[in-house]
Amino acid sequence: MSSTFSTNRSPPTARSWFELNYRYRIPFWGIAYVLPTVLFFAVFKFGPMLWAIELSFTNYDMVSTPTFIGLENYRGLIADPIFRETLINTLVYIAGSTILITVVGLALALAINTGVPGARYCMTAMFLTNLMPIIAVCLVWRFLLHPYGLVNQLLSPLGFGRINWVTDSATAMPAIIMVTVWRFAPYFMVIFLAGLLAIPQDYYEAAKLDGANVFQRFWHVTLPQLSPTIFFVVVVSALLSARIFLMPYIITRGGPGNSTRVLSMLIYETGFSYLKMGRAAAISVVLFAIMMAFTVLQMRLFRGSEQERFR
Amino acid sequence: MTGRPPAQTWLEWVGPMWRRAIGITFLLALSAVFVVPIAWMTTTSFQSGEKMFQLATEWIPSEWHPENYPNALSRDAFPTYFLNSFVISGVVMIGNVVFGTLAGYGLAKFRFPGDRFVLLVILSTLMLPLEVTLIPTFLVIHQFGWLNSYQGIAGPLLIEAFGIFLMRQSILSIPSDYLEAARIDGAGELRILWQIIVPMCWPALAVLAILSFRDSWDQFLWPLTVVSVDEYRTYPLGMVRFEEDYGNPPTEQMAIAVLATIPVFLLFAVLQRWVNRGFGLSGLK
């Protein structure tokens, strides 16, 4: 750097001023670029979350001033069978859709990656479902899952009877998970494809020379190489499914009974239909705890990848 | 493309001709699972009402009913709803692109006190989506006096951690030497951002643009919470009201669904050149 400035004929005082300025100028710009985002998150993410925790200890109802009632809201939730059922539904939904999204996403990526001509176009076609508005997805699938709808039409030659997908409590949750996978798996297929393309070709060549067959190569090369991607997909799709609202809201209305009601629906109903803001805030804290568990996993993953970068 | 051989061929125990045929058939069948519902939506939107629940789906309507579209649009204030959604999604997309680039750049290429902490703070907002903070965010918007307004719907969606990480990841791969060289040549910081960083990030910007547009175009719970007048309803709220009214024929619901799908597909078509590279798929055949 000094050689660059030695050709500069400015007096030494000005130069040292410039260098001093430079040392502080750069961090200043870094802070300036990040600051709007940090302020935004303080107002719209962290502030509201702290407020939710505070409200969860009150009986706030939008009308009277909130009074502190301690753990009463949480005690009420534990005693409430509808809440317990909803919590279990949410966990079942998260587990089911996360596992299936990961498996289907990976399977689709492997199918695309066979290098068959036209694979690109098939990928684009599959990705379209991910761009279709969720509300349109829900309305279309509500008709497709109708007892006389397309799904049953296609299944009947295989010997299935008329399945009441959304009105039978045994099939309602699987149906919603299926629609979720249909909508989101192609996105993760793209993530998996990027991961597959990043695996060095030499590894496969070496494995082939050692006489490994297709499945051995998948097990010993692809899976270990892909494990950061798999972990990422699991965490992201779990965070995504924990937030689900529209699919059960449109396709099953939370029914039959309570069998597909999820936490976000319960938060909305408790808060805005019954105006029990304190209790709704307590449910939010429960949902937050679920999301936090997955985010901690995500952070561990992130820290690992950062350390690799700086190694 | 790069002439890269397929990473792993599942089908190598059969001859190359058969391998191709089996591979193509298999892929087409898989694609069909994803495309058929979209095709069904489109064909049903042109179908007559009574044909909808026949025992066999009529894939090409024997009688076309394009009037489903104007009929559907005229039943509710759908032109207004779509306009609202366009305004909000456009603003949210621009907000995410602008602030995602700024913050991503700031975190990728600058060292300042607390930079690691800021990274952690932004990462931790992944566990604070609007579904979790619904109640207090509603109260914040209420305090601002923003209920039933564009800023009330778009405000909390304006910056997402996802965009920041996407941009940061993309900017990290730009060599810092370029920035240093530009600084020594006397380029201002904003000029470096605009003339060096942005032109090298088109693929990531395209991905961010399409995904943030889609996400706000999809938003349902948040507008449902802050909007109670027809003037500011977005199209998903309109669609749910339309659907709940049993007098409305399902074919017209599908017509609205098709109309709602078109803008996202169009944006994707426009940006597709960059999107594939943005996802890191440039090696794909």
Side-chain angles (χ1 to χ4, degrees):
Chain A
M1 186 104 69
S2 60
S3 67
T4 317
F5 287 113
S6 61
T7 55
N8 195 330
R9 267 180 289 146
S10 52
T13 47
R15 190 181 128 198
S16 56
W17 179 83
F18 177 84
E19 281 184 351
L20 184 76
N21 186 19
Y22 185 84
R23 257 189 72 202
Y24 289 103
R25 196 165 56 101
I26 300 303
F28 165 78
W29 275 99
I31 293 170
Y33 285 138
V34 172
L35 197 61
T37 300
V38 172
L39 292 178
F40 176 88
F41 283 155
V43 174
F44 285 114
K45 298 278 184 194
F46 295 103
M49 193 60 229
L50 292 177
W51 200 359
I53 293 172
E54 189 196 333
L55 281 175
S56 73
F57 296 113
T58 69
N59 62 354
Y60 188 46
D61 57 1
M62 296 273 309
V63 189
S64 49
T65 45
T67 41
F68 181 80
I69 54 167
L71 290 170
E72 199 48 54
N73 284 324
Y74 293 97
R75 221 170 282 143
L77 286 182
I78 294 167
D80 180 5
I82 292 178
F83 170 77
R84 287 200 304 253
E85 202 181 339
T86 307
L87 180 63
I88 291 167
N89 289 341
T90 309
L91 294 175
V92 167
Y93 175 81
I94 294 174
S97 48
T98 301
I99 293 169
L100 281 177
I101 283 174
T102 309
V103 171
V104 173
L106 180 56
L108 292 175
L110 289 170
I112 297 283
N113 201 33
T114 46
V116 163
R120 262 175 89 97
Y121 300 102
C122 290
M123 182 195 73
T124 308
M126 291 177 191
F127 192 70
L128 290 181
T129 69
N130 198 257
L131 299 173
M132 191 172 157
I134 295 194
I135 179 84
V137 169
C138 294
L139 291 179
V140 168
W141 276 97
R142 231 166 70 92
F143 291 124
L144 297 182
L145 292 169
H146 187 276
Y148 293 95
L150 186 65
V151 173
N152 279 346
Q153 282 175 28
L154 294 176
L155 286 180
S156 67
L158 304 175
F160 286 89
R162 188 156 291 136
I163 302 169
N164 295 316
W165 290 99
V166 299
T167 49
D168 186 335
S169 58
T171 52
M173 185 58 93
I176 288 188
I177 291 175
M178 188 177 81
V179 178
T180 310
V181 172
W182 182 83
R183 157 74 202 236
F184 291 107
Y187 176 77
F188 295 100
M189 162 192 79
V190 167
I191 308 273
F192 275 126
L193 259 175
L196 286 173
L197 289 171
I199 301 176
Q201 197 57 37
D202 311 353
Y203 293 10
Y204 291 107
E205 299 299 331
K208 217 183 260 183
L209 284 178
D210 289 345
N213 67 28
V214 192
F215 300 102
Q216 286 168 329
R217 268 177 278 149
F218 176 73
W219 191 253
H220 294 291
V221 180
T222 310
L223 270 187
Q225 287 289 312
L226 213 54
S227 65
T229 314
I230 295 173
F231 195 59
F232 174 83
V233 168
V234 166
V235 171
V236 172
S237 53
L239 287 174
L240 196 85
S241 353
R243 306 169 50 181
I244 194 77
F245 176 85
L246 196 52
M247 285 185 182
Y249 184 83
I250 300 289
I251 298 177
T252 59
R253 312 263 182 231
N258 265 316
S259 57
T260 54
R261 197 173 302 276
V262 290
L263 286 177
S264 60
M265 288 172 79
L266 202 61
I267 293 171
Y268 180 80
E269 285 164 13
T270 313
F272 297 103
S273 306
Y274 304 111
L275 293 179
K276 292 180 183 166
M277 291 292 183
R279 191 187 171 102
I283 306 172
S284 307
V285 173
V286 174
L287 183 56
F288 172 69
I290 296 174
M291 309 267 316
M292 192 158 78
F294 291 113
T295 312
V296 168
L297 281 176
Q298 164 99 338
M299 282 181 177
R300 195 158 291 174
L301 166 84
F302 183 73
R303 205 169 294 156
S305 76
E306 289 290 292
Q307 272 161 5
E308 220 158 79
R309 194 186 310 287
F310 290 121
R311 200 175 284 159
Chain B
M1 302 299 292
T2 52
R4 193 181 191 282
Q8 189 183 23
T9 308
W10 282 90
L11 301 163
E12 57 192 36
W13 63 85
V14 287
M17 282 287 283
W18 279 104
R19 191 189 305 167
R20 282 198 163 189
I22 294 172
I24 291 174
T25 318
F26 181 59
L27 262 188
L28 283 179
L30 272 182
S31 310
V33 173
F34 291 90
V35 173
V36 161
I38 302 179
W40 187 88
M41 167 179 81
T42 315
T43 179
T44 306
S45 73
F46 291 105
Q47 197 63 273
S48 68
E50 66 270 20
K51 287 250 178 86
M52 200 151 156
F53 291 110
Q54 289 173 323
L55 286 178
T57 300
E58 198 178 279
W59 283 100
I60 296 167
S62 51
E63 262 179 88
W64 289 80
H65 293 272
E67 73 275 10
N68 286 342
Y69 284 79
N71 286 351
L73 282 173
S74 64
R75 272 184 213 263
D76 265 327
F78 272 107
T80 315
Y81 301 158
F82 275 115
L83 182 71
N84 290 338
S85 282
F86 265 115
V87 171
I88 290 157
S89 302
V91 168
V92 169
M93 181 177 84
I94 292 168
N96 271 291
V97 166
V98 169
F99 291 107
T101 310
L102 288 180
Y105 176 42
L107 290 169
K109 291 294 177 193
F110 293 86
R111 288 279 154 274
F112 51 88
D115 51 353
R116 308 290 298 166
F117 179 69
V118 170
L119 204 59
L120 215 62
V121 160
I122 291 174
L123 190 65
S124 64
T125 62
L126 286 176
M127 60 185 162
L128 296 170
L130 266 172
E131 287 79 1
V132 169
T133 58
L134 188 71
I135 304 289
T137 310
F138 169 80
L139 297 174
V140 167
I141 294 297
H142 181 64
Q143 294 272 311
F144 288 176
W146 284 2
L147 293 183
N148 292 314
S149 72
Y150 286 146
Q151 63 268 37
I153 308 172
L157 305 170
L158 224 45
I159 310 181
E160 285 290 339
F162 165 78
I164 298 167
F165 281 98
L166 185 73
M167 293 316 295
R168 176 173 176 269
Q169 224 53 25
S170 166
I171 292 170
L172 273 175
S173 65
I174 300 175
S176 294
D177 302 353
Y178 290 5
L179 313 183
E180 287 306 320
R183 274 187 195 126
I184 287 163
D185 288 346
E189 287 296 323
L190 288 174
R191 199 168 146 203
I192 293 176
L193 173 62
W194 186 245
Q195 295 197 331
I196 298 179
I197 301 293
V198 169
M200 296 182 83
C201 292
W202 281 127
L205 285 169
V207 170
L208 176 54
I210 181 95
L211 293 182
S212 59
F213 182 88
R214 180 205 65 186
D215 282 349
S216 68
W217 190 251
D218 273 355
Q219 277 295 330
F220 178 79
L221 180 57
W222 179 241
L224 180 70
T225 308
V226 285
V227 175
S228 54
V229 296
D230 220 29
E231 221 180 314
Y232 288 104
R233 259 192 198 113
T234 56
Y235 84 87
L237 303 184
M239 279 178 87
V240 169
R241 282 161 61 87
F242 190 77
E243 182 250 2
E244 280 167 350
D245 186 342
Y246 289 104
N248 292 323
T251 49
E252 292 181 13
Q253 284 179 36
M254 291 301 105
I256 299 286
V258 169
L259 289 178
T261 306
I262 289 171
V264 200
F265 281 15
L266 273 184
L267 187 65
F268 179 64
V270 171
L271 296 176
Q272 216 213 333
R273 263 179 64 197
W274 294 290
V275 166
N276 272 352
R277 274 198 290 150
F279 275 121
L281 297 180
S282 41
L284 191 71
K285 281 195 187 172

